[in-house]
Amino acid sequence: MLSIKDLHAEVDGKTILKGLSLEINAGEVHAIMGPNGSGKSTLGHVLSGRPGYEITGGSVEFMGKDIFEMETEERAHLGLFLAFQYPVEIPGVSNMEFLKAAVDAVRESRDEEAFDTVSFMRKAREACTAVDLDQAFLKRGVNEGFSGGEKKRNELMQMMLLEPKLCILDETDSGLDIDALQVVAKGVNTMRAEDRAFLLVTHYQRLLDYIEPDYVHVLADGRIVKSGDKSLALELEEKGYGWLEVEVA
Amino acid sequence: MSQEQIDKAIAKDYAAGFTTEIESDTLPPGLNEDTVRFISAKKNEPEWMLEWRLEAFRVWREMDVPEWAHVHYPEINFQDISYYSQPKSMEDRPQSLDEVDPELLATYEKLGIPLHEQEVLAGVAVDVVFDSVSVATTFREKLAEAGVLFCSISEAVHAYPDLVRKYLGSVVPRKDNFYAALNSAVFSDGSFVYIPKGVRCPMELSTYFRINEANTGQFERTLIVADEGSHVSYLEGCTAPMRDENQLHAAVVELVAMDDAEIKYSTVQNWYPGDAEGKGGIYNFVTKRGLAHTNAKISWTQVETGSAVTWKYPSCILRGDNSVGEFYSVALTNNMQQADTGTKMIHLGKNTRSTIISKGISAGKSSNAYRGLVRVGPAAKGARNYTQCDSLLIGDKCAAHTFPYIESKNPTGIVEHEATTSKVSDDQLYLCQQRGLDPEKAVSMIVNGFCKEVFKELPMEFAVEAGKLLEVSLEGSVG
Ligand SMILES: Nc1ncnc2c1ncn2[C@@H]1O[C@H](COP(=O)(O)OP(=O)(O)OP(=O)(O)O)[C@@H](O)[C@H]1O
Ligand SMILES: [Mg+2]
């Protein structure tokens, strides 16, 4: 589904990704851990096509297509979803309106018919309930005045409604209380499917107690320096990242 | 989103920019007393009307072009403009729509304004002014049943001379300002509305203005009188063809709300704004003012997306105690457009209240200024004003300005002013795109969200139209 080969990328002349490679197949759940500033969010943004990043080497294929040939929205239409580490606010645009516009756009790109308003609203209310947000959030401006945790749940709600193929969750678990963490985990687990993959960026092994990953990778200094299974996360929790740098060096 | 993308998305064609091949009688350019006499004679006006115009002309000749607005344009030569144009087939005024030139009807169909009565938006009566002449007023009988008078101002001069003599110029005097004086001298047509005491007008009233002829000025005059305890909602829409020359539009709108009456006046203005380089477009210099008596309410709602240069301040004189004035405005400028718009709330009576919500959106290289005056007179005990003035910038080549003027002569008056300026941020656009929206859709959604407080004041059909209009006007503002 996603094939990253020797990816190099820089921002404002600063090289962040330095030869990153990663293969993700449909149905898999990958977790990425790593020190602050190692390039985890950068990877997500480069994949989804945020302006300002320069690709200086390597290639990325998503659903069999060269991702760098596509606009951000075209990647989204193909099924790439990024839950942001820091979701922005769009004042005045109601969540419902935003969700409908997004789902309509994605469906239109696939030549699927738009949902009628009534059935869409029902779906949206279900998703809202699933992430344990009050229905009032559908009427509020997108992320407008939401608390940190509410923003994260709102990201998850968007993901549920858009039904993407590849879900990249950038620290969706950070800043969540225990209950909210379980809500996120449950959301992801119910969405797990044969034709869908997840890339979870997290600092906490705790999340992986609830969402069992197939692979765990460590990203340090712009590269994947170690990959393993679930037990790697436990090891990291215990030892931190220092020992890896020694091992790599 | 890059600047290039932004530029591309704002560059959109003007959909109402076609011209219509209609034979018309157009007065050669130039303005003197004979021009005024000619216009008056064309309309078979009574002597008093002619005299009124001539006095306005004399006043106008002594006045100077106002220069205080934050707009720049080449000097207008008022002798190069034609002051009267009428479609030929109107020589014998059509008695019904069947007699209206089919080309003309087709023009309005193209504009999305069906004139055939059965097709007209349910519940909206329409008066249409094409160049200088009113061509059709629909639903007249139904309105007459309720006692509502709705016709062109030319007709009103003949049919209801007492009302016209009493109120014409009573809110905007001829000498009020340069363009008001000019309009008073040469106004060609416009709408007249009278709502009798205690009547709630059974439908929305609406006028569409269209300038077709080249080098023609349009000077329409609207007079709305809502008698005691009556209620009316009035909509005004405007378009013009795309032409390389600038065209002048100098209208005057007067509203009179008697005791306990309510007038809601909504405008969706989409005059041709000129091309991306600033060539052509309408110069829109308009004087709109309402007078509110005791307990009366006047509400202006406007969505301004057109015109090369806009100079417009719909105002309320809150003369009666407890009267209420409201101004809700969305003004969008793109490319080289310039707008200097806002309102004046003049509090004279006790406990008068006013609300001003202004949303300015600037894209391209345009300039958008809000200019608002809130004056609390010495007798206006307990007057209150709340002003909220928000600007939204798209891209980094445009400008927004705010000029609030507050004059308070009564210490019990409370005047509040809030202003914000924000940008459509790259991160907002990125979020939208990540969720599958193209940049244009994203910008129009963000802009619509920004304007929500104003749109909800518009009558239903207009709110939808206004949203679409913004989308069209913004096309090319992102890529
Ligand atoms: N515009 C920029 N200019 C310069 N450096 C930048 C810019 N954007 C990001 N960086 C740097 O790139 C590095 C990687 O950032 P990134 O956000 O990808 O880290 P991260 O792994 O997600 O960290 P965290 O765990 O703290 O979220 C950081 O050192 C950051 O300061
Ligand atoms: Mg990060």
Side-chain angles (χ1 to χ4, degrees), chain A residues 36-37 39-42 85-86 170-171 201 203:
Chain A
N36 291 134
K40 303 182 296 297
S41 294
T42 302
Q85 184 174 1
Y86 305 109
D170 191 355
E171 297 199 27
V201 174
H203 285 294

Side-chain angles (χ1 to χ4, degrees), chain B residues 277-304:
Chain B
E277 272 74 54
K279 196 165 188 222
I282 301 286
Y283 291 161
N284 192 30
F285 303 126
V286 173
T287 306
K288 292 183 163 176
R289 193 175 303 154
L291 177 63
H293 291 274
T294 305
N295 296 324
K297 177 173 171 185
I298 290 179
S299 180
W300 298 101
T301 305
Q302 60 171 22
V303 176
E304 303 273 323

